[in-house]
Amino acid sequence: MNQVIRNIKERRSVRFFSIQPISREDMELIIEAGNYAPTGANLQPWRFVVIQSEEIRKELAKNAKPVYQNYMKHADESFKQMRKSIDEMLEDSIYYSAPAIVFVIGKKVLSYAYDCPMVCENMMLAAKSLGIGSCWLGFGQMGLTDDIRASMEIKGDEEIFGPIVFGYPAQGFPEESKRREPVVKWL
């Protein structure tokens, strides 16, 4: 099988990370892969904020936890059940104590809402090719206080995509989940 296709098929969301840090060189490769994503009119309306400080990650997690807990009170039962084991196994069930967090910051121009998710996917695929796990976090923006947003220099004409956590899988890459057959109409 083609190595690119294999990498796409084998990429998984990783939520259990070792404490091994990711080298600056590997993080730069991951960001470079993101930077090569397709972009409307070649605007490249993105920038990156990389957090490798454990102190900042812990602050993000602390700030996000009450918002997450409130959300979970109103979540449907199937979602609560899916998250239960993660919440029980991890002290940080939002950022998963990952050694690196990357926020993709998109400037609200033309096709940024399409471009920036492709940046994220390129980064996750690049990480997998390096043996590094990743997970795009739906809850990852919950802990962003005004001070944190200011430190990230988020402007009014920008939107956060991700964040994405990166790290070496503590338990290997998860098994493949069952995929539905694609629904295709051929004309």
Side-chain angles (χ1 to χ4, degrees):
M1 179 185 307
N2 172 295
Q3 188 57 41
V4 173
I5 301 299
R6 181 185 321 265
N7 193 51
I8 291 169
K9 287 185 167 190
E10 291 178 357
R11 193 215 62 81
R12 304 282 181 273
S13 293
V14 174
R15 293 178 177 87
F16 300 96
F17 297 101
S18 76
I19 60 170
Q20 178 183 352
I22 301 171
S23 72
R24 177 83 173 239
E25 179 182 37
D26 283 347
M27 285 307 305
E28 287 173 348
L29 283 171
I30 291 167
I31 290 168
E32 181 180 20
N35 205 47
Y36 272 83
T39 174
N42 198 31
L43 289 176
Q44 301 174 44
W46 54 72
R47 64 185 180 86
F48 306 90
V49 174
V50 180
I51 296 173
Q52 291 184 301
S53 161
E54 184 176 355
E55 180 183 328
I56 294 172
R57 185 199 45 79
K58 284 182 176 180
E59 181 182 353
L60 288 169
K62 181 185 77 136
N63 293 337
K65 189 136 190 154
V67 181
Y68 170 72
Q69 289 170 330
N70 188 51
Y71 177 88
M72 292 303 287
K73 287 179 189 174
H74 308 290
D76 67 43
E77 286 307 312
S78 64
F79 187 74
K80 286 179 182 178
Q81 199 59 37
M82 187 211 39
R83 293 290 303 183
K84 184 178 180 180
S85 63
I86 294 168
D87 290 341
E88 290 173 351
M89 292 175 70
L90 295 171
E91 182 180 329
D92 176 4
S93 59
I94 297 166
Y95 295 96
Y96 309 121
S97 300
I101 305 168
V102 177
F103 290 82
V104 176
I105 314 297
K107 185 173 176 142
K108 297 177 183 178
V109 295
L110 194 61
S111 60
Y112 83 100
Y114 302 106
D115 298 348
C116 293
M118 290 189 284
V119 169
C120 295
E121 181 67 7
N122 273 17
M123 291 169 57
M124 292 185 294
L125 290 171
K128 173 63 174 86
S129 76
L130 297 170
I132 296 169
S134 64
C135 187
W136 188 331
L137 305 178
F139 296 113
Q141 295 185 39
M142 292 180 170
L144 301 184
T145 62
D146 290 341
D147 288 345
I148 292 171
R149 290 177 76 81
S151 71
M152 295 169 68
E153 300 176 2
I154 307 288
K155 298 170 186 64
D157 65 343
E158 292 180 320
E159 183 177 331
I160 296 172
F161 291 84
I164 304 166
V165 291
F166 295 95
Y168 293 97
Q171 304 170 347
F173 286 90
E175 293 294 316
E176 178 180 5
S177 56
K178 180 91 172 115
R179 295 289 175 166
R180 296 178 309 205
E181 286 296 316
V183 177
V184 180
K185 178 174 177 83
W186 297 88
L187 298 176

